[in-house]
Amino acid sequence: MTYEAERAGSPERVERPEHPGSPELGGSHGRNTARQLIPQEERDKLTLRLQQSLGGFVDGPRHAVQEAAAVLDDTADRITAALTERRQSLRAGWHGDGDGDAAETEELRVALRAYREVTERLLRW
């Protein structure tokens, strides 16, 4: 990783992948995909629902809060599903198929790096 802000003496760090093919949290193993956990279209829909619930507070406070709670539930479910998919993808990349396939050291290095990147992104949230 290149930490540009550290070089400038700033306590904040700006991370950039060392290799353009490094996996991202929501991406596929080995491809350059800077996608979010939730695709933009779904995020837009969830954001719109939340904004509508906020806008409806004056006319129906209870309904507005119920809708905001539902949006949070749907968002949490979508994030959980995306993380589960990502964990399975990472594990498949190094764990093999159980038929004696042993991951090579390079595959293990890439897997470890991907685990670190995913975990660091979650911890920064």
Side-chain angles (χ1 to χ4, degrees):
M1 291 280 153
T2 303
Y3 299 100
E4 310 248 81
E6 281 184 357
R7 282 192 251 163
S10 169
E12 239 179 278
R13 68 183 190 189
V14 177
E15 296 185 19
R16 295 214 173 125
E18 292 172 2
H19 304 286
S22 67
E24 294 291 334
L25 186 57
S28 297
H29 183 73
R31 290 190 311 189
N32 185 14
T33 54
R35 296 184 295 181
Q36 300 292 319
L37 275 175
I38 302 175
Q40 185 65 47
E41 184 177 323
E42 289 182 52
R43 289 193 332 242
D44 290 345
K45 288 178 184 178
L46 291 166
T47 300
L48 179 61
R49 283 179 55 200
L50 182 61
Q51 290 171 347
Q52 289 172 339
S53 73
L54 296 172
F57 182 78
V58 172
D59 294 331
R62 181 169 300 279
H63 178 73
V65 172
Q66 289 171 336
E67 179 59 16
V71 172
L72 177 59
D73 289 345
D74 291 347
T75 302
D77 290 346
R78 183 62 183 100
I79 289 171
T80 299
L83 284 171
T84 298
E85 181 180 311
R86 182 65 177 134
R87 287 190 337 250
Q88 290 170 346
S89 173
L90 284 170
R91 182 173 300 274
W94 68 270
H95 209 257
D97 60 11
D99 291 335
D101 285 346
E104 298 293 325
T105 302
E106 178 61 15
E107 293 171 315
L108 294 171
R109 185 192 69 78
V110 169
L112 182 60
R113 181 173 160 193
Y115 278 114
R116 183 195 72 209
E117 289 173 356
V118 170
T119 303
E120 285 177 347
R121 283 185 67 184
L122 289 172
L123 291 172
R124 282 192 305 266
W125 183 77

